[in-house]
Amino acid sequence: MKNFNRRLLISTVLIMLSTAGYAQSVNKYVDLFIGTSGSGHLFPGATVPFGMVQLSPETGNFGWNYCSGYRYEDTTITGFAHTHLSGTGDADLGDVLFFPFQGKTPKTFAAGFSKSTEKATPGYYTVVLRKNNIRAELTASAHTGVHRYTFNNAGVSHILVDIQSGLVDSKEELSTHVSEGHITINSNNSISGYAFSSQWVDKEVFFTAVFNKPFKGYHFIDGKTKRRIVLDFNTQAGGQVEARVAISATSIAGAQKNLIETKNKTFDAVRADAAQLWKKSLGKFTAEGTQAQKITFYSSLYHTLIQPNNIADLDGKYRGADGKVHQSVDGVYYSTFSLWDTYRAAHPLYTIMCPDRDAQMVETMLQHFNAAKELPIWVLWGKESFGMIGNHSIPVIVDASLKGLKGFDKEKAFADIKYTLTHNGNPKYDWSLYMRYGYLPSDTVKREAVSRTLEAAYDDWCAAQLAKNLHKDADYKYFIKRSNFYKNVFDKSTNLMRGRLSNGNWVGPFANLDSGQLAIGGDYTEGNAWQYVWQVQHDIPGLMHLMGGKKVFSAKLDSLFTMDSKVFGKGSTVDVTGLIGQYAHGNEPVHHVAYLYTLAGNPAKTQQYVRQICDEFYVNTPDGLSGNDDCGQMSAWYLFTAMGFYPVNPVDQHFVLGAPQLSKISIALPNGKTFTTEAQNLSVANKYVKSITLNGKLYTKKYITYSDIMNGGKLVFVMTDKPAAPQF
């Protein structure tokens, strides 16, 4: 035991020294363990911005707690897999798992570890497995995961490669989710394989692995199935085995081509490249504040840039929604589109910091339409899952179009939008029913009828704006009429959105605090009537009018934030988290709501609540997030809020003003200009805004515009401890 502890101490010191050498610039402020416990569902492994590979440890692989395969509180690792979801509420991926060990092949592959040996920085992860004192190191390029295992004990060493493993909903599914696949020996230092699996979506994963030394033997541990293989290596004490593993969605040949990314590169060179990519992306922002504030800011930025993932091979080939291999028109093809979440803030952020990439994502959506005859809703590994409601690729496409982003055809974009919103391709929408009643009746649509109506109305408004931009007057009139259907589910007697029957009567009794969800029914999606009444992002003035004016509207907001912080009903209670009253920051439908006070003439309340949300729900600990990060949306909310504004309606090019949370933030824009926000006199007490100037001139609007940002300049907030009186 003493010798083991001594070797462990030496390994720990080496880890700290090697990690310090790569922790340059803003990368050092990223804490990859934030959100890896609680309901954050984040992973700490190695990836690069928007890369296909997320090489990360797994501590469990079934159930809601293991959507990313990892929980910080666990002390046992079951392997290192190459694909992972970031912050989602459903499990999938976890493909091509590696596990190093020594001695006899165990029945169960797992090893304990000490948290003191576990370190992670952007593009790099390392840990020492306690059993046999094996140090594991991981890094990645866009399509390749690179492993380095240091076997500190002498003797025969082994690596399990497992393509049967994956992230699934239940233990039983581990043996059934792969329908086809096997591993092939290519040479004495190379293997390849593929697995066809079904979980959230049906997917095909291909891989090829090349080791830096030959294996002296191998054996399959699952008989003729050949999906789990143990490779044997002769190693001395301190000997290392490295593996470069490329993945592809198209073929083994595609995976072999993708290996070019790391050809003739050492582990350390790949690690340095990954760190440099993160430094370049994260370095577009310069944040000033306390150490803790910078950790929150850059960790949020990091998580926003993990996805969507470019799943096209290096030659531009990708597997589309129809299961066929296609050639991308621009060489890339993005997936992991969590659009119900990310249309709100993540994509608006991309239009600022990387507009060319956002345009590529839009082009991907149009290519997806070519195969699916429906714009994407929630796409994973190129396949449509029909997760969530609405079709929120539409606001993303329209936003990019109206902002003048280049790289896709606006006429085709509108044609695809129009077809999607008028033909029944989405199983959650019957457009003839929608048009007949002006809403989705709750006695016909048994689940989420109110939420589906509201979110369709927003998509309709977005379609109308692009039609107007393209001078399609008839289409504009058609969709702008549909965008007002939200009014048909507004119950004036309660000032809430309420389910309506096909005969026009309201659903009763009205359990307005009960949460609904797809699985059990109810009129709302992962929320209740109080959380969904604000889902009119395109017509806040119209909603104010329905409620009785700004003062009544503001009072309704007060009620939302001051009611009992309790979850009611049997709906998605795991999603209704981060409560301030009935405001639930742990889920997306309310993300814009705190900013509605500003639009109602009561900005001090916005300033009060955004500070509270930041302080309580963005904490630099593994359980510091209030809910799923949802592919960067939760993080993107913080980034905008820290700068002092937020896109309440992501398509109107307005960013509603709040209050900055850091003293100064600058964005290096792709056009060579810089936009800076500054909070003078910011402190714990000084959370309210006294005055604002834009480029030295007094600024009294309730929002700034996209062009204000992209033109460069300086937005200065003078902070105070005195809230301004409302002006209704």
mmCIF file of all heavy atoms in Angstrom, residues 4 7-8 75-77 99-114 117 127-136 150-153 158:
data_model
loop_
_atom_site.group_PDB
_atom_site.id
_atom_site.type_symbol
_atom_site.label_atom_id
_atom_site.label_comp_id
_atom_site.label_asym_id
_atom_site.label_seq_id
_atom_site.Cartn_x
_atom_site.Cartn_y
_atom_site.Cartn_z
ATOM 1 N N PHE A 4 2.141 1.837 -3.415
ATOM 2 C CA PHE A 4 1.066 2.353 -4.269
ATOM 3 C C PHE A 4 0.840 3.836 -4.002
ATOM 4 O O PHE A 4 0.728 4.636 -4.925
ATOM 5 C CB PHE A 4 -0.238 1.580 -4.018
ATOM 6 C CG PHE A 4 -1.416 2.205 -4.718
ATOM 7 C CD1 PHE A 4 -1.617 2.041 -6.070
ATOM 8 C CD2 PHE A 4 -2.310 3.010 -4.004
ATOM 9 C CE1 PHE A 4 -2.693 2.629 -6.708
ATOM 10 C CE2 PHE A 4 -3.379 3.599 -4.644
ATOM 11 C CZ PHE A 4 -3.572 3.401 -5.995
ATOM 12 N N ARG A 7 3.564 5.881 -5.554
ATOM 13 C CA ARG A 7 3.409 6.005 -7.016
ATOM 14 C C ARG A 7 2.249 6.922 -7.362
ATOM 15 O O ARG A 7 2.289 7.685 -8.316
ATOM 16 C CB ARG A 7 3.196 4.611 -7.637
ATOM 17 C CG ARG A 7 4.431 3.722 -7.584
ATOM 18 C CD ARG A 7 4.274 2.513 -8.497
ATOM 19 N NE ARG A 7 3.161 1.668 -8.102
ATOM 20 C CZ ARG A 7 3.249 0.650 -7.248
ATOM 21 N NH1 ARG A 7 4.418 0.367 -6.676
ATOM 22 N NH2 ARG A 7 2.192 -0.071 -6.962
ATOM 23 N N LEU A 8 1.162 6.833 -6.554
ATOM 24 C CA LEU A 8 0.005 7.696 -6.782
ATOM 25 C C LEU A 8 0.379 9.153 -6.601
ATOM 26 O O LEU A 8 -0.016 10.021 -7.389
ATOM 27 C CB LEU A 8 -1.126 7.315 -5.822
ATOM 28 C CG LEU A 8 -2.436 8.105 -5.962
ATOM 29 C CD1 LEU A 8 -3.020 7.933 -7.359
ATOM 30 C CD2 LEU A 8 -3.434 7.645 -4.908
ATOM 31 N N THR A 75 -17.226 7.486 -7.779
ATOM 32 C CA THR A 75 -15.804 7.212 -7.526
ATOM 33 C C THR A 75 -15.319 5.994 -8.306
ATOM 34 O O THR A 75 -14.243 5.468 -8.028
ATOM 35 C CB THR A 75 -15.565 6.994 -6.024
ATOM 36 O OG1 THR A 75 -16.417 5.936 -5.558
ATOM 37 C CG2 THR A 75 -15.848 8.271 -5.240
ATOM 38 N N THR A 76 -16.098 5.560 -9.265
ATOM 39 C CA THR A 76 -15.725 4.415 -10.097
ATOM 40 C C THR A 76 -15.923 4.773 -11.561
ATOM 41 O O THR A 76 -16.956 5.334 -11.943
ATOM 42 C CB THR A 76 -16.586 3.185 -9.759
ATOM 43 O OG1 THR A 76 -16.385 2.834 -8.394
ATOM 44 C CG2 THR A 76 -16.198 2.001 -10.629
ATOM 45 N N ILE A 77 -14.938 4.457 -12.388
ATOM 46 C CA ILE A 77 -14.998 4.708 -13.828
ATOM 47 C C ILE A 77 -15.161 3.379 -14.550
ATOM 48 O O ILE A 77 -14.483 2.391 -14.231
ATOM 49 C CB ILE A 77 -13.742 5.454 -14.312
ATOM 50 C CG1 ILE A 77 -13.838 6.933 -13.916
ATOM 51 C CG2 ILE A 77 -13.550 5.325 -15.823
ATOM 52 C CD1 ILE A 77 -12.606 7.750 -14.234
ATOM 53 N N PHE A 99 -11.326 0.685 -22.111
ATOM 54 C CA PHE A 99 -11.047 0.524 -20.679
ATOM 55 C C PHE A 99 -9.702 -0.192 -20.512
ATOM 56 O O PHE A 99 -9.549 -1.340 -20.939
ATOM 57 C CB PHE A 99 -12.147 -0.284 -19.987
ATOM 58 C CG PHE A 99 -11.950 -0.411 -18.504
ATOM 59 C CD1 PHE A 99 -12.371 0.592 -17.644
ATOM 60 C CD2 PHE A 99 -11.308 -1.526 -17.960
ATOM 61 C CE1 PHE A 99 -12.170 0.486 -16.269
ATOM 62 C CE2 PHE A 99 -11.105 -1.648 -16.600
ATOM 63 C CZ PHE A 99 -11.539 -0.632 -15.745
ATOM 64 N N PRO A 100 -8.709 0.461 -19.904
ATOM 65 C CA PRO A 100 -7.397 -0.163 -19.689
ATOM 66 C C PRO A 100 -7.372 -0.932 -18.369
ATOM 67 O O PRO A 100 -7.962 -0.510 -17.374
ATOM 68 C CB PRO A 100 -6.463 1.043 -19.639
ATOM 69 C CG PRO A 100 -7.303 2.123 -19.016
ATOM 70 C CD PRO A 100 -8.728 1.874 -19.482
ATOM 71 N N PHE A 101 -6.670 -2.061 -18.356
ATOM 72 C CA PHE A 101 -6.544 -2.819 -17.105
ATOM 73 C C PHE A 101 -5.337 -3.748 -17.195
ATOM 74 O O PHE A 101 -4.728 -3.919 -18.257
ATOM 75 C CB PHE A 101 -7.822 -3.606 -16.807
ATOM 76 C CG PHE A 101 -8.130 -4.725 -17.787
ATOM 77 C CD1 PHE A 101 -7.814 -6.050 -17.487
ATOM 78 C CD2 PHE A 101 -8.747 -4.456 -19.004
ATOM 79 C CE1 PHE A 101 -8.094 -7.078 -18.372
ATOM 80 C CE2 PHE A 101 -9.038 -5.490 -19.895
ATOM 81 C CZ PHE A 101 -8.712 -6.806 -19.585
ATOM 82 N N GLN A 102 -4.990 -4.369 -16.077
ATOM 83 C CA GLN A 102 -3.953 -5.393 -16.012
ATOM 84 C C GLN A 102 -4.501 -6.593 -15.257
ATOM 85 O O GLN A 102 -5.471 -6.479 -14.503
ATOM 86 C CB GLN A 102 -2.697 -4.853 -15.324
ATOM 87 C CG GLN A 102 -1.935 -3.847 -16.181
ATOM 88 C CD GLN A 102 -0.685 -3.316 -15.490
ATOM 89 O OE1 GLN A 102 -0.760 -2.818 -14.376
ATOM 90 N NE2 GLN A 102 0.457 -3.417 -16.158
ATOM 91 N N GLY A 103 -3.883 -7.745 -15.446
ATOM 92 C CA GLY A 103 -4.335 -8.950 -14.778
ATOM 93 C C GLY A 103 -5.386 -9.686 -15.591
ATOM 94 O O GLY A 103 -5.545 -9.472 -16.796
ATOM 95 N N LYS A 104 -6.130 -10.554 -14.911
ATOM 96 C CA LYS A 104 -7.149 -11.355 -15.570
ATOM 97 C C LYS A 104 -8.322 -10.485 -16.049
ATOM 98 O O LYS A 104 -8.628 -9.464 -15.457
ATOM 99 C CB LYS A 104 -7.656 -12.437 -14.629
ATOM 100 C CG LYS A 104 -6.597 -13.477 -14.244
ATOM 101 C CD LYS A 104 -7.202 -14.533 -13.324
ATOM 102 C CE LYS A 104 -6.160 -15.578 -12.953
ATOM 103 N NZ LYS A 104 -6.725 -16.619 -12.045
ATOM 104 N N THR A 105 -8.953 -10.954 -17.096
ATOM 105 C CA THR A 105 -10.130 -10.249 -17.594
ATOM 106 C C THR A 105 -11.250 -10.335 -16.567
ATOM 107 O O THR A 105 -11.679 -11.446 -16.213
ATOM 108 C CB THR A 105 -10.604 -10.855 -18.924
ATOM 109 O OG1 THR A 105 -9.549 -10.789 -19.885
ATOM 110 C CG2 THR A 105 -11.825 -10.111 -19.452
ATOM 111 N N PRO A 106 -11.731 -9.204 -16.072
ATOM 112 C CA PRO A 106 -12.758 -9.238 -15.030
ATOM 113 C C PRO A 106 -14.146 -9.479 -15.614
ATOM 114 O O PRO A 106 -14.379 -9.303 -16.814
ATOM 115 C CB PRO A 106 -12.665 -7.843 -14.414
ATOM 116 C CG PRO A 106 -12.232 -6.976 -15.552
ATOM 117 C CD PRO A 106 -11.316 -7.823 -16.401
ATOM 118 N N LYS A 107 -15.073 -9.857 -14.753
ATOM 119 C CA LYS A 107 -16.455 -9.987 -15.179
ATOM 120 C C LYS A 107 -17.088 -8.614 -15.385
ATOM 121 O O LYS A 107 -17.903 -8.415 -16.273
ATOM 122 C CB LYS A 107 -17.253 -10.789 -14.152
ATOM 123 C CG LYS A 107 -16.877 -12.260 -14.075
ATOM 124 C CD LYS A 107 -17.771 -12.994 -13.090
ATOM 125 C CE LYS A 107 -17.414 -14.476 -13.035
ATOM 126 N NZ LYS A 107 -18.271 -15.207 -12.057
ATOM 127 N N THR A 108 -16.685 -7.675 -14.531
ATOM 128 C CA THR A 108 -17.195 -6.307 -14.616
ATOM 129 C C THR A 108 -16.018 -5.358 -14.783
ATOM 130 O O THR A 108 -15.051 -5.416 -14.003
ATOM 131 C CB THR A 108 -17.985 -5.928 -13.355
ATOM 132 O OG1 THR A 108 -19.071 -6.835 -13.194
ATOM 133 C CG2 THR A 108 -18.523 -4.502 -13.464
ATOM 134 N N PHE A 109 -16.085 -4.506 -15.775
ATOM 135 C CA PHE A 109 -14.998 -3.564 -16.043
ATOM 136 C C PHE A 109 -15.281 -2.257 -15.313
ATOM 137 O O PHE A 109 -16.185 -1.496 -15.677
ATOM 138 C CB PHE A 109 -14.858 -3.330 -17.545
ATOM 139 C CG PHE A 109 -14.376 -4.533 -18.289
ATOM 140 C CD1 PHE A 109 -15.269 -5.474 -18.772
ATOM 141 C CD2 PHE A 109 -13.023 -4.746 -18.480
ATOM 142 C CE1 PHE A 109 -14.839 -6.593 -19.454
ATOM 143 C CE2 PHE A 109 -12.567 -5.866 -19.163
ATOM 144 C CZ PHE A 109 -13.474 -6.801 -19.645
ATOM 145 N N ALA A 110 -14.530 -2.001 -14.269
ATOM 146 C CA ALA A 110 -14.685 -0.783 -13.476
ATOM 147 C C ALA A 110 -13.447 -0.617 -12.622
ATOM 148 O O ALA A 110 -12.797 -1.598 -12.242
ATOM 149 C CB ALA A 110 -15.929 -0.848 -12.595
ATOM 150 N N ALA A 111 -13.121 0.615 -12.317
ATOM 151 C CA ALA A 111 -11.965 0.901 -11.468
ATOM 152 C C ALA A 111 -12.243 2.135 -10.635
ATOM 153 O O ALA A 111 -12.763 3.135 -11.148
ATOM 154 C CB ALA A 111 -10.707 1.104 -12.315
ATOM 155 N N GLY A 112 -11.892 2.058 -9.370
ATOM 156 C CA GLY A 112 -12.008 3.220 -8.512
ATOM 157 C C GLY A 112 -10.926 4.237 -8.820
ATOM 158 O O GLY A 112 -9.914 3.931 -9.463
ATOM 159 N N PHE A 113 -11.142 5.470 -8.384
ATOM 160 C CA PHE A 113 -10.135 6.508 -8.598
ATOM 161 C C PHE A 113 -10.246 7.550 -7.494
ATOM 162 O O PHE A 113 -11.283 7.693 -6.850
ATOM 163 C CB PHE A 113 -10.302 7.162 -9.975
ATOM 164 C CG PHE A 113 -11.571 7.967 -10.136
ATOM 165 C CD1 PHE A 113 -11.560 9.351 -10.016
ATOM 166 C CD2 PHE A 113 -12.782 7.343 -10.415
ATOM 167 C CE1 PHE A 113 -12.726 10.094 -10.166
ATOM 168 C CE2 PHE A 113 -13.951 8.070 -10.567
ATOM 169 C CZ PHE A 113 -13.930 9.454 -10.445
ATOM 170 N N SER A 114 -9.167 8.257 -7.284
ATOM 171 C CA SER A 114 -9.147 9.344 -6.321
ATOM 172 C C SER A 114 -9.410 10.658 -7.042
ATOM 173 O O SER A 114 -8.821 10.926 -8.100
ATOM 174 C CB SER A 114 -7.796 9.406 -5.612
ATOM 175 O OG SER A 114 -7.682 10.595 -4.850
ATOM 176 N N THR A 117 -6.617 12.901 -8.374
ATOM 177 C CA THR A 117 -5.891 12.616 -9.616
ATOM 178 C C THR A 117 -6.674 13.007 -10.857
ATOM 179 O O THR A 117 -6.169 12.890 -11.974
ATOM 180 C CB THR A 117 -5.552 11.119 -9.713
ATOM 181 O OG1 THR A 117 -6.763 10.361 -9.933
ATOM 182 C CG2 THR A 117 -4.879 10.617 -8.442
ATOM 183 N N VAL A 127 -6.906 11.038 -15.359
ATOM 184 C CA VAL A 127 -7.251 10.443 -14.071
ATOM 185 C C VAL A 127 -6.343 9.232 -13.863
ATOM 186 O O VAL A 127 -5.844 8.644 -14.834
ATOM 187 C CB VAL A 127 -8.741 10.022 -14.036
ATOM 188 C CG1 VAL A 127 -9.009 8.834 -14.946
ATOM 189 C CG2 VAL A 127 -9.207 9.743 -12.614
ATOM 190 N N VAL A 128 -6.112 8.862 -12.612
ATOM 191 C CA VAL A 128 -5.375 7.647 -12.299
ATOM 192 C C VAL A 128 -6.361 6.615 -11.767
ATOM 193 O O VAL A 128 -7.043 6.863 -10.763
ATOM 194 C CB VAL A 128 -4.259 7.902 -11.266
ATOM 195 C CG1 VAL A 128 -3.596 6.581 -10.872
ATOM 196 C CG2 VAL A 128 -3.217 8.856 -11.827
ATOM 197 N N LEU A 129 -6.454 5.485 -12.474
ATOM 198 C CA LEU A 129 -7.305 4.393 -12.020
ATOM 199 C C LEU A 129 -6.589 3.663 -10.897
ATOM 200 O O LEU A 129 -5.440 3.208 -11.056
ATOM 201 C CB LEU A 129 -7.615 3.445 -13.178
ATOM 202 C CG LEU A 129 -8.262 4.096 -14.409
ATOM 203 C CD1 LEU A 129 -8.534 3.047 -15.486
ATOM 204 C CD2 LEU A 129 -9.547 4.826 -14.039
ATOM 205 N N ARG A 130 -7.261 3.553 -9.757
ATOM 206 C CA ARG A 130 -6.609 3.029 -8.560
ATOM 207 C C ARG A 130 -6.140 1.592 -8.755
ATOM 208 O O ARG A 130 -5.038 1.231 -8.350
ATOM 209 C CB ARG A 130 -7.559 3.129 -7.362
ATOM 210 C CG ARG A 130 -6.936 2.694 -6.040
ATOM 211 C CD ARG A 130 -7.884 2.880 -4.880
ATOM 212 N NE ARG A 130 -8.037 4.285 -4.520
ATOM 213 C CZ ARG A 130 -9.173 4.965 -4.599
ATOM 214 N NH1 ARG A 130 -10.257 4.372 -5.074
ATOM 215 N NH2 ARG A 130 -9.233 6.234 -4.233
ATOM 216 N N LYS A 131 -6.959 0.773 -9.358
ATOM 217 C CA LYS A 131 -6.577 -0.618 -9.573
ATOM 218 C C LYS A 131 -5.449 -0.684 -10.591
ATOM 219 O O LYS A 131 -5.573 -0.228 -11.722
ATOM 220 C CB LYS A 131 -7.782 -1.421 -10.061
ATOM 221 C CG LYS A 131 -7.536 -2.919 -10.119
ATOM 222 C CD LYS A 131 -8.810 -3.662 -10.504
ATOM 223 C CE LYS A 131 -8.580 -5.168 -10.497
ATOM 224 N NZ LYS A 131 -9.827 -5.902 -10.867
ATOM 225 N N ASN A 132 -4.316 -1.210 -10.174
ATOM 226 C CA ASN A 132 -3.118 -1.337 -11.014
ATOM 227 C C ASN A 132 -2.445 -0.007 -11.329
ATOM 228 O O ASN A 132 -1.516 0.046 -12.143
ATOM 229 C CB ASN A 132 -3.427 -2.086 -12.323
ATOM 230 C CG ASN A 132 -3.982 -3.480 -12.093
ATOM 231 O OD1 ASN A 132 -5.086 -3.795 -12.511
ATOM 232 N ND2 ASN A 132 -3.228 -4.314 -11.386
ATOM 233 N N ASN A 133 -2.933 1.089 -10.713
ATOM 234 C CA ASN A 133 -2.246 2.380 -10.837
ATOM 235 C C ASN A 133 -2.006 2.763 -12.300
ATOM 236 O O ASN A 133 -0.880 2.992 -12.735
ATOM 237 C CB ASN A 133 -0.918 2.331 -10.065
ATOM 238 C CG ASN A 133 -0.281 3.699 -9.912
ATOM 239 O OD1 ASN A 133 -0.942 4.723 -10.075
ATOM 240 N ND2 ASN A 133 1.004 3.722 -9.608
ATOM 241 N N ILE A 134 -3.085 2.842 -13.067
ATOM 242 C CA ILE A 134 -3.007 3.175 -14.492
ATOM 243 C C ILE A 134 -3.440 4.621 -14.686
ATOM 244 O O ILE A 134 -4.539 5.014 -14.290
ATOM 245 C CB ILE A 134 -3.919 2.246 -15.321
ATOM 246 C CG1 ILE A 134 -3.501 0.788 -15.141
ATOM 247 C CG2 ILE A 134 -3.878 2.638 -16.802
ATOM 248 C CD1 ILE A 134 -4.512 -0.201 -15.691
ATOM 249 N N ARG A 135 -2.570 5.389 -15.295
ATOM 250 C CA ARG A 135 -2.914 6.775 -15.592
ATOM 251 C C ARG A 135 -3.527 6.856 -16.983
ATOM 252 O O ARG A 135 -2.917 6.415 -17.969
ATOM 253 C CB ARG A 135 -1.683 7.670 -15.517
ATOM 254 C CG ARG A 135 -1.983 9.138 -15.829
ATOM 255 C CD ARG A 135 -0.717 9.972 -15.885
ATOM 256 N NE ARG A 135 -1.019 11.352 -16.242
ATOM 257 C CZ ARG A 135 -0.097 12.268 -16.539
ATOM 258 N NH1 ARG A 135 1.188 11.951 -16.506
ATOM 259 N NH2 ARG A 135 -0.453 13.499 -16.853
ATOM 260 N N ALA A 136 -4.729 7.401 -17.061
ATOM 261 C CA ALA A 136 -5.408 7.587 -18.338
ATOM 262 C C ALA A 136 -5.386 9.055 -18.712
ATOM 263 O O ALA A 136 -5.651 9.924 -17.872
ATOM 264 C CB ALA A 136 -6.851 7.098 -18.243
ATOM 265 N N THR A 150 -0.751 5.111 -19.220
ATOM 266 C CA THR A 150 0.540 4.818 -18.605
ATOM 267 C C THR A 150 0.329 3.725 -17.570
ATOM 268 O O THR A 150 -0.372 3.917 -16.570
ATOM 269 C CB THR A 150 1.130 6.063 -17.933
ATOM 270 O OG1 THR A 150 1.272 7.102 -18.911
ATOM 271 C CG2 THR A 150 2.496 5.752 -17.329
ATOM 272 N N PHE A 151 0.938 2.548 -17.835
ATOM 273 C CA PHE A 151 0.812 1.403 -16.939
ATOM 274 C C PHE A 151 1.994 1.430 -15.972
ATOM 275 O O PHE A 151 3.105 1.033 -16.330
ATOM 276 C CB PHE A 151 0.770 0.106 -17.748
ATOM 277 C CG PHE A 151 -0.434 -0.003 -18.644
ATOM 278 C CD1 PHE A 151 -0.389 0.448 -19.964
ATOM 279 C CD2 PHE A 151 -1.620 -0.547 -18.174
ATOM 280 C CE1 PHE A 151 -1.501 0.344 -20.789
ATOM 281 C CE2 PHE A 151 -2.741 -0.650 -18.998
ATOM 282 C CZ PHE A 151 -2.684 -0.204 -20.306
ATOM 283 N N ASN A 152 1.763 1.931 -14.781
ATOM 284 C CA ASN A 152 2.848 2.137 -13.829
ATOM 285 C C ASN A 152 3.378 0.839 -13.241
ATOM 286 O O ASN A 152 4.463 0.825 -12.654
ATOM 287 C CB ASN A 152 2.378 3.074 -12.716
ATOM 288 C CG ASN A 152 2.189 4.490 -13.218
ATOM 289 O OD1 ASN A 152 3.094 5.071 -13.804
ATOM 290 N ND2 ASN A 152 0.995 5.040 -13.040
ATOM 291 N N ASN A 153 2.623 -0.248 -13.384
ATOM 292 C CA ASN A 153 3.091 -1.560 -12.944
ATOM 293 C C ASN A 153 3.560 -2.363 -14.155
ATOM 294 O O ASN A 153 2.977 -2.276 -15.236
ATOM 295 C CB ASN A 153 1.976 -2.330 -12.237
ATOM 296 C CG ASN A 153 1.529 -1.639 -10.963
ATOM 297 O OD1 ASN A 153 2.247 -0.810 -10.407
ATOM 298 N ND2 ASN A 153 0.338 -1.979 -10.490
ATOM 299 N N HIS A 158 -3.719 -4.592 -20.804
ATOM 300 C CA HIS A 158 -4.838 -4.879 -21.686
ATOM 301 C C HIS A 158 -5.692 -3.626 -21.898
ATOM 302 O O HIS A 158 -5.753 -2.742 -21.029
ATOM 303 C CB HIS A 158 -5.734 -5.970 -21.097
ATOM 304 C CG HIS A 158 -5.000 -7.153 -20.560
ATOM 305 N ND1 HIS A 158 -4.507 -8.160 -21.356
ATOM 306 C CD2 HIS A 158 -4.650 -7.468 -19.283
ATOM 307 C CE1 HIS A 158 -3.902 -9.056 -20.610
ATOM 308 N NE2 HIS A 158 -3.984 -8.663 -19.346
#
